[in-house]
Amino acid sequence: MKWKDFTVTVPASTANLGPGFDSIGLALDLHLSIHVSQASEWTVRYNEESYQHLSGSSDNLIIAAAKKTAAAYGRELPPAKLEIDTDIPLSRGLGSSASAIAGGIEIADRLLGLNMPLKEKVEIGTEMEGHPDNISASILGGLTISYADGEELSIVHVPEVEIGVLILVPPTEFLTTESRGLLPEEVLHKTAVRGSMAANVLSAALATGDWNTAGRMMERDEFHEPFRKSRFPDFDIIRQACRDHGAYGSAISGAGPSLFIAAEKGKEEEIRQMLSERFPHYDCLLTKPSTAGIKAVQTVQ
Ligand SMILES: Nc1ncnc2c1ncn2[C@@H]1O[C@H](COP(=O)(O)OP(=O)(O)OP(=O)(O)O)[C@@H](O)[C@H]1O
Ligand SMILES: N[C@@H](CCO)C(=O)O
């Protein structure tokens, strides 16, 4: 089977935005790029040093997602060489695993000419991730609000999001599996009702672009942040400092340990300076929402 080399690009994502736990995702302007070329066996090469310990053989998450997609269509994939560039921090709550899964799905789609509808890509990715928040944002771009129960998948997609984004990244990894282990088995009915009220107002505010309200609701989570925030040094102090400098709001990004801060466009630099001076043990990334989702283009030689 002969095919032309191609490159798949996938945006990073921040998930939850507070009470939108496992449901809300926002694609970010940081990217995983996978250059795919013909080979006699599967190989993976990471150009980014912090990724080089990851498996380069068939248990690699990108290859596993590609093979799972092919199997769902009763097909087998030809092997390929994957060369990877990325500026998504690994295991820091910025959807690195979802971007790898989305990349694998796109590779299978392209190699086998499946022409998969976007929703099918999100369905396979959701099955692999266990929740739709990061994967739907990585595949569709923009902001996604999803419902998934294993049978039904419903997504409301808001393609354009007009904010500035700051991400505070701590130096250490925090695996999603470990972070989910901090969550309780159950929450009280009245706690769930309050959490759901916050999530409802958050979703409506996000859909109508009312970031003042969205920012306040982002900080009203009762589903996960109270159990995770101890793993984020200075969480409450940083949140207050961001508010004092005019940020709309902040939330643990995905399963953590990074913090997502939403700010009015143009105010990000002032907040970044303050954070870098007061909390130098974190890396402060300035970024923005990504309207584009996953893309595959033929590589120009
Ligand atoms: N580019 C990649 N190639 C292969 N595997 C990857 C890649 N990116 C992430 N992974 C896998 O995903 C794991 C990290 O997933 P994890 O869910 O813990 O973090 P995250 O996705 O960055 O954070 P979050 O889900 O909170 O946004 C890595 O240990 C690795 O196994
Ligand atoms: N919603 C997920 C995102 C990280 O995968 C969580 O918070 O655990």
Side-chain angles (χ1 to χ4, degrees):
M1 180 182 170
K2 281 231 168 254
W3 44 274
K4 296 220 163 79
D5 297 1
F6 59 94
T7 299
V8 172
T9 310
V10 198
S13 56
T14 182
N16 301 326
L17 278 74
F21 182 69
D22 276 1
S23 169
I24 300 182
L26 176 66
L28 298 174
D29 196 24
L30 301 165
H31 295 93
L32 167 70
S33 293
I34 312 168
H35 313 286
V36 188
S37 51
Q38 297 221 10
S40 53
E41 57 182 33
W42 283 101
T43 56
V44 186
R45 198 177 96 196
Y46 289 97
N47 294 327
E48 163 57 39
E49 205 183 322
S50 59
Y51 277 66
Q52 285 174 358
H53 65 285
L54 293 181
S55 162
S57 51
S58 52
D59 56 343
N60 177 284
L61 192 55
I62 301 173
I63 303 177
K67 288 191 169 169
K68 188 178 165 68
T69 307
Y73 284 81
R75 303 276 300 273
E76 238 178 80
L77 281 174
K81 176 179 152 201
L82 311 182
E83 185 172 345
I84 292 164
D85 290 300
T86 182
D87 54 7
I88 306 177
L90 182 65
S91 303
R92 299 292 199 285
L94 294 167
S96 68
S97 59
S99 68
I101 291 169
I105 295 169
E106 192 65 29
I107 289 169
D109 184 42
R110 178 97 184 193
L111 283 178
L112 299 175
L114 299 172
N115 288 321
M116 292 168 69
L118 286 173
K119 193 167 174 198
E120 245 162 68
K121 294 180 186 175
V122 179
E123 273 163 359
I124 293 186
T126 299
E127 200 187 320
M128 289 191 77
E129 273 269 286
H131 36 86
D133 42 4
N134 295 101
I135 192 86
S136 55
S138 265
I139 290 176
L140 302 177
L143 179 92
T144 52
I145 305 171
S146 308
Y147 173 84
D149 62 8
E151 306 250 310
E152 181 187 340
L153 173 67
S154 292
I155 306 172
V156 174
H157 182 211
V158 181
E160 301 280 346
V161 177
E162 297 287 325
I163 53 164
V165 173
L166 298 104
I167 305 283
L168 266 192
V169 188
T172 46
E173 290 188 354
F174 188 25
L175 288 175
T176 296
T177 42
E178 197 186 335
S179 176
R180 288 181 89 84
L182 299 175
L183 305 181
E185 284 286 316
E186 293 173 350
V187 291
L188 283 177
H189 185 266
K190 65 178 180 186
T191 309
V193 169
R194 266 199 318 269
S196 155
M197 285 196 279
N200 293 341
V201 177
L202 171 67
S203 300
L206 291 171
T208 52
D210 175 1
W211 273 90
N212 283 309
T213 304
R216 276 202 322 281
M217 290 301 122
M218 263 170 44
E219 301 188 356
R220 296 281 180 278
D221 170 61
E222 300 197 48
F223 295 129
H224 70 114
E225 278 192 0
F227 313 103
R228 288 171 159 168
K229 69 178 192 177
S230 61
R231 300 295 294 264
F232 194 100
D234 300 327
F235 183 86
D236 292 316
I237 301 169
I238 294 172
R239 174 168 271 178
Q240 188 57 49
C242 289
R243 250 194 242 140
D244 293 345
H245 281 76
Y248 289 129
S250 60
I252 294 177
S253 185
S258 297
L259 191 68
F260 162 75
I261 300 150
E264 193 181 322
K265 264 177 155 179
K267 285 210 175 146
E268 314 88 305
E269 182 50 35
E270 180 195 329
I271 300 173
R272 189 194 65 74
Q273 267 185 26
M274 176 279 291
L275 290 169
S276 304
E277 276 163 28
R278 288 191 57 189
F279 308 99
H281 43 299
Y282 292 107
D283 244 5
C284 186
L285 302 179
L286 265 194
T287 182
K288 58 184 192 302
S290 168
T291 304
I294 195 157
K295 275 192 293 199
V297 291
Q298 198 172 309
T299 308
V300 179
Q301 306 284 350

